[in-house]
Amino acid sequence: MSEVLPANQALRAWVQAVADHTQPKRIHYCTGSEAERAAIERELVAAGTLLALDPKVHPGSFLARSDPSDVARTEHLTFISTEHAVDAGPNNNWMSEADANKRVWPLFAGAMKGRTLYVVPYVMGPAGSGFSRVGVEITDSPYVVLNMRIMTRMGKVALDQLGNSDTFVRGLHSLGDLSPDRRFIVHFPQRREIWSIGSGYGGNALLSKKCHALRIASVQAREEGWLAEHMLILGLTSAEGRTHYVAAAFPSACGKTNLAMLVPSLPGWKVDTVGDDICWMQPGADGRLWAVNPEYGMFGVAPGTSLKTNPNAMHSLSHDVIFTNVALREGQRAWWEGMSKLDDHEVLQDWRGAAWRPGSTTTAAHPNSRFTVALRQCPSTTDTYELSTGVPISAIIFGGRRSKLAPLVYEARSWRHGVYVGATMVSETTAAATGAVGVPRNDPMAMLPFCGYNMGDYFGHWLNLEKKLTRAPKIFHVNWFRTGDDGRFLWPGFGDNVRVLKWILERVDGTATAQDAAIGLVPQRDAIDVRGLDLSSDQLFQLLAVDGGAWLQEAGRALEFLGRFGQRLPAALLDEHASLVKRLHDSLH
Ligand code: OXD
Ligand code: MN
């Protein structure tokens, strides 16, 4: 690998300062070239860190196994460091700068001894676009470098965009000793800096993703009048040829990737996948909200992904993939729960590398096992994710995993009501973060773990944005996960979700009807296109039902949650809350 030193003095000075402290054996500035990728892969395969998969079944693909204590984001070890704790808000763990300097900085001392320090410049957003921002991650993990090369526009393209500017987000990452006792992910939003030590796992270590594109960018977005959101972006073209773009926020592992690349069950409808996880949106001169996906790849949850549930994801995975913590079938083939049937007597290697047999009480793949793959490999992408103008957003969708209560879909009455709907979102927890699974938790705009500042101020920022939007997107809430009395899902989901998107876009176009329910506008039963679906009218009734009494209790819990933001909570949200409660009471009389 030939060394190319960038001209940017600020970058070189920072790298030198980090190297003086971390003491790597050598420094490598990444170019993003093919030769560089191949060299790192060879090195990792030789070291046993990557396992090459069957080149016929998985050309160019590898399996990585992470330390068993390092398999998900660790929210309790993730901190925001601001001068005053109140600016980080009750939604974040706060650490003073003095504390970070005392507790975290010393962990980096000599941490890269014997290792290579990689300098990874990257662009978030289409290169040269007014939306895009440059970051540089310093890391001692070659696995991180390979992932960053897929997830971002990495190397020379970023240095070219940066030029001599010193306004890049600085991310410092070291594996440290991988001990959870010495694991910290600390963000300094004011100086646009991130320190991450002790974890090699995706969201903790690929600093472009949650750390930069959400936590740091959300602060920057507020200062500059835009939004950095945990949302997929998709374009939907109707059978008649009308295209709308929507952005949708769901908590981690609630099907964002599936929805982003859905194969519509309605004939003639088409989906264009623009992004599957993160969305940066700016008001345009035309009063609409325009969006780009800052990422270049997907870091998707593997379990549950199959040709049936997400054929586009499966086709994306046909080559050049990094799998993390999936299981191995004989012949070096990747496998995970829900992917395909196994033979009864087959013996696999589980995600730790131990022998595993079908029927075992443990899972073969880790529930949060992942695939890293370039977005361009997805059959449902076009060139829209490369558009420097972004795409105009017609609808914003919030969603959660709710087995009860929330109807399949409803529309907010106004932007302000939509912000209230987003702010009071609740979802049942998943395996994407450590902790108990299946517990309802408030997750405003699916941003609770990712908003880099006090969410009271964040709600205020959302409310203020309306002033710049003469053609604001309509806001909706969906729930694919409602269950009937027998505990089974009422809605088929997956490709049939297009039926709900269809209603949403018809609402945007003003052609679909809705009935005024206390919580918002709910489709009339005949407004959802269920032709060809095996769905009884009783099931549809249950899917769309609004139980006023249960919603009143929910509203009580929502108020308690919003109360956590105290003085920082915008009064407009309390007004929305009072109106909702009044409508609910009225509906019960
Ligand atoms: C992710 C997450 O990895 O939200 O996208 O956890
Ligand atoms: Mn996510």
Side-chain angles (χ1 to χ4, degrees):
M1 287 185 266
S2 65
E3 211 55 81
V4 187
L5 278 185
N8 189 306
Q9 288 302 326
L11 174 58
R12 282 168 67 165
W14 174 56
V15 170
Q16 196 51 56
V18 168
D20 288 346
H21 187 54
T22 57
Q23 295 172 31
K25 152 179 102 196
R26 55 188 282 267
I27 297 176
H28 175 76
Y29 281 88
C30 294
T31 63
S33 72
E34 282 292 321
E36 179 181 83
R37 172 184 61 79
I40 296 177
E41 283 171 3
R42 272 196 305 274
E43 195 183 301
L44 285 182
V45 168
T49 313
L50 281 188
L51 236 130
L53 297 179
D54 180 335
K56 282 204 235 36
V57 183
H58 300 288
S61 303
F62 299 90
L63 167 67
R65 290 184 178 132
S66 63
D67 187 281
S69 75
D70 187 29
V71 291
R73 285 182 291 101
T74 38
E75 291 171 11
H76 62 292
L77 302 173
T78 301
F79 294 83
I80 299 290
S81 182
T82 44
E83 191 180 347
H84 305 291
V86 67
D87 292 325
N91 47 296
N92 282 303
N93 303 309
W94 177 77
M95 192 184 279
S96 71
E97 192 167 344
D99 246 13
N101 288 336
K102 205 165 72 211
R103 291 169 67 194
V104 184
W105 184 244
L107 299 175
F108 284 100
M112 297 192 186
K113 269 188 191 152
R115 300 178 188 170
T116 299
L117 177 160
Y118 295 91
V119 183
V120 187
Y122 60 88
V123 191
M124 300 309 280
S129 156
F131 282 87
S132 67
R133 298 287 191 272
V134 174
V136 181
E137 174 164 356
I138 290 177
T139 179
D140 56 8
S141 161
Y143 162 85
V144 164
V145 177
L146 291 180
N147 277 272
M148 288 292 286
R149 189 174 180 279
I150 298 174
M151 294 304 297
T152 67
R153 296 154 174 98
M154 184 273 252
K156 183 175 177 316
V157 59
L159 290 180
D160 289 349
Q161 176 153 339
L162 184 62
N164 280 323
S165 165
D166 67 351
T167 57
F168 54 93
V169 170
R170 290 156 165 78
L172 167 57
H173 170 252
S174 171
L175 295 170
D177 63 5
L178 286 180
S179 162
D181 298 333
R182 286 174 289 283
R183 180 177 299 162
F184 291 95
I185 301 102
V186 189
H187 304 71
F188 304 90
Q190 285 323 314
R191 51 176 218 253
R192 317 272 193 249
E193 195 165 325
I194 306 148
W195 294 350
S196 168
I197 188 155
S199 169
Y201 172 77
N204 296 333
L206 309 176
L207 301 186
S208 61
K209 198 174 185 49
K210 305 303 187 182
C211 302
H212 175 168
L214 290 176
R215 297 195 191 96
I216 298 286
S218 60
V219 172
Q220 200 168 6
R222 178 174 171 233
E223 289 169 9
E224 298 171 3
W226 49 283
L227 291 170
E229 296 299 321
H230 191 204
M231 291 180 177
L232 66 89
I233 309 168
L234 67 83
L236 187 62
T237 304
S238 69
E240 296 78 40
R242 248 179 101 54
T243 300
H244 280 291
Y245 292 91
V246 306
F250 300 86
S252 306
C254 284
K256 276 213 307 299
T257 301
N258 287 349
L259 184 62
M261 52 192 72
L262 121 168
V263 179
S265 65
L266 293 172
W269 286 68
K270 260 200 342 254
V271 160
D272 173 8
T273 306
V274 184
D276 81 320
D277 194 41
I278 300 180
C279 167
W280 286 357
M281 293 188 278
Q282 286 182 12
D286 61 356
R288 288 193 286 179
L289 195 55
W290 290 75
V292 297
N293 169 14
E295 299 191 288
Y296 208 40
M298 302 179 281
F299 182 64
V301 177
T305 308
S306 71
L307 280 172
K308 189 156 162 275
T309 60
N310 193 341
N312 281 327
M314 291 304 280
H315 294 310
S316 313
L317 301 181
S318 59
H319 62 98
D320 295 295
V321 186
I322 301 174
F323 294 99
T324 301
N325 294 336
V326 302
L328 262 193
R329 285 179 92 167
E330 205 177 300
Q332 308 294 83
R333 289 173 298 155
W335 190 84
W336 49 81
E337 276 67 22
M339 174 182 174
S340 57
K341 271 204 149 44
L342 295 173
D343 300 331
D344 286 348
H345 302 293
E346 225 177 311
V347 183
L348 281 73
Q349 284 178 40
D350 73 6
W351 62 278
R352 297 181 199 82
W356 183 94
R357 287 176 179 75
S360 157
T361 52
T362 58
T363 60
H366 188 276
N368 192 35
S369 53
R370 300 276 179 150
F371 53 79
T372 316
V373 70
L375 204 53
R376 67 177 166 275
Q377 289 186 201
C378 176
S380 55
T381 53
T382 63
D383 54 3
T384 43
Y385 74 95
E386 292 278 27
L387 285 177
S388 56
T389 53
V391 294
I393 298 296
S394 301
I396 289 176
I397 304 173
F398 294 121
R401 184 181 277 273
R402 300 300 301 266
S403 47
K404 299 276 172 262
L405 194 80
L408 179 61
V409 57
Y410 65 100
E411 178 187 331
R413 295 158 184 281
S414 61
W415 179 266
R416 200 175 85 154
H417 178 223
V419 174
Y420 174 84
V421 169
T424 55
M425 247 168 82
V426 170
S427 190
E428 288 151 22
T429 52
T430 69
T434 47
V437 170
V439 184
R441 87 163 178 178
N442 284 88
D443 192 351
M445 280 87 166
M447 280 287 279
L448 187 70
F450 306 122
C451 182
Y453 61 102
N454 189 317
M455 275 196 133
D457 298 335
Y458 168 79
F459 302 146
H461 177 50
W462 263 84
L463 292 166
N464 280 335
L465 211 67
E466 189 186 10
K467 298 190 200 97
K468 295 201 205 148
L469 298 172
T470 47
R471 297 160 73 189
K474 280 178 175 278
I475 301 181
F476 298 81
H477 186 281
V478 301
N479 175 27
W480 319 130
F481 301 97
R482 196 161 180 173
T483 54
D485 297 335
D486 56 3
R488 306 216 331 216
F489 291 123
L490 287 163
W491 180 246
F494 303 109
D496 285 313
N497 291 338
V498 71
R499 298 167 189 273
V500 175
L501 296 180
K502 179 175 180 232
W503 180 76
I504 287 175
L505 297 187
E506 286 168 353
R507 288 296 297 164
V508 168
D509 285 336
T511 57
T513 55
Q515 53 189 333
D516 207 327
I519 60 165
L521 304 162
V522 180
Q524 251 111 8
R525 249 188 290 170
D526 56 1
I528 302 263
D529 184 346
V530 292
R531 277 173 300 174
L533 261 194
D534 183 19
L535 190 77
S536 69
S537 65
D538 180 52
Q539 277 170 316
L540 191 56
F541 177 79
Q542 288 183 53
L543 273 165
L544 297 175
V546 176
D547 176 343
W551 270 97
L552 261 180
Q553 281 184 13
E554 172 87 358
R557 282 192 297 269
L559 185 63
E560 211 176 289
F561 174 72
L562 293 177
R564 291 175 57 197
F565 298 96
Q567 295 296 319
R568 297 281 179 117
L569 185 74
L573 287 190
L574 290 175
D575 292 348
E576 276 303 327
H577 180 81
S579 313
L580 169 68
V581 170
K582 176 167 183 325
R583 289 194 304 267
L584 285 166
H585 276 298
D586 291 349
S587 75
L588 291 172
H589 292 124

